Amino acid sequence: MGESVWDIIDRYKAEYDKVKRLLRAVRGGRFRGRKPNGKWWVRFGSGRATLDLLADTPEELVRQAAVFRCGDCGHKTTGHRRKSKEEASCVGVSCTCKATQAEIIAKQSTTAWIAERAGLTERELFRGVRGPTSIVSSVEDAHG
């Protein structure tokens, strides 16, 4: 016999909670879950400054959110003000970050950095998180 609907719901809820915890660990906006088209969704900012990140897989979403903000100063990596045309460092008044956008992205896009922030090992980081699948097809498969 296949998996019951309740087992599928429990698995989806566990996956949702894990992705939410990973996004909080990497300072990643407000997690909104999945859209009806299957895309995973996180929102940064509010009002007119709102930016939505969409991804096909939860792993891709966590990686995008991890590099969106500097892990040291919290500023957006895409919004760092430039000291000169070649150098893109954060020069905000309350910011002490001297890293360039490329350095921040290179450091924070690694599985090791995300795992360290989440307090997990690299092996268990994305365990239990699926790739892009349809919820309807999973339920249909369970009921044959």
Side-chain angles (χ1 to χ4, degrees), residues 13-129:
K13 177 66 175 145
E15 179 183 42
Y16 177 92
D17 291 340
K18 183 163 190 172
V19 174
K20 186 175 184 177
R21 190 177 70 195
L22 289 173
L23 285 168
R24 281 190 179 155
V26 298
R27 302 178 94 171
R30 287 186 303 280
F31 181 53
R32 297 298 195 194
R34 280 181 95 160
K35 286 185 167 264
N37 66 0
K39 297 260 189 200
W40 290 84
W41 178 26
V42 67
R43 174 170 281 169
F44 286 94
S46 61
R48 291 177 24 194
T50 299
L51 176 74
D52 292 333
L53 292 179
L54 298 171
D56 291 329
T57 64
E59 182 176 350
E60 186 181 332
L61 183 70
V62 170
R63 290 186 188 281
Q64 285 180 14
V67 300
F68 185 73
R69 291 189 180 273
C70 177
D72 296 327
C73 68
H75 284 190
K76 294 181 217 172
T77 54
T78 56
H80 277 55
R81 290 185 296 180
R82 299 179 185 278
K83 286 184 180 175
S84 67
K85 289 186 179 181
E86 304 82 41
E87 186 69 20
S89 290
C90 189
V91 294
V93 174
S94 63
C95 179
T96 60
C97 181
K98 301 289 185 247
T100 64
Q101 292 174 11
E103 290 169 347
I104 293 168
I105 291 170
K107 173 184 163 189
Q108 295 180 192
S109 64
T110 62
T111 303
W113 187 85
I114 296 170
E116 179 186 332
R117 296 289 295 215
L120 302 169
T121 64
E122 289 183 47
R123 292 192 94 173
E124 61 189 13
L125 185 62
F126 292 110
R127 184 177 293 160
V129 178

Side-chain angles (χ1 to χ4, degrees), residues 2-12 138-140 142-143:
E3 191 176 25
S4 75
V5 173
W6 297 112
D7 292 335
I8 293 170
I9 291 171
D10 289 342
R11 192 167 29 106
Y12 284 150
S138 296
V139 173
E140 289 174 354
H143 292 293

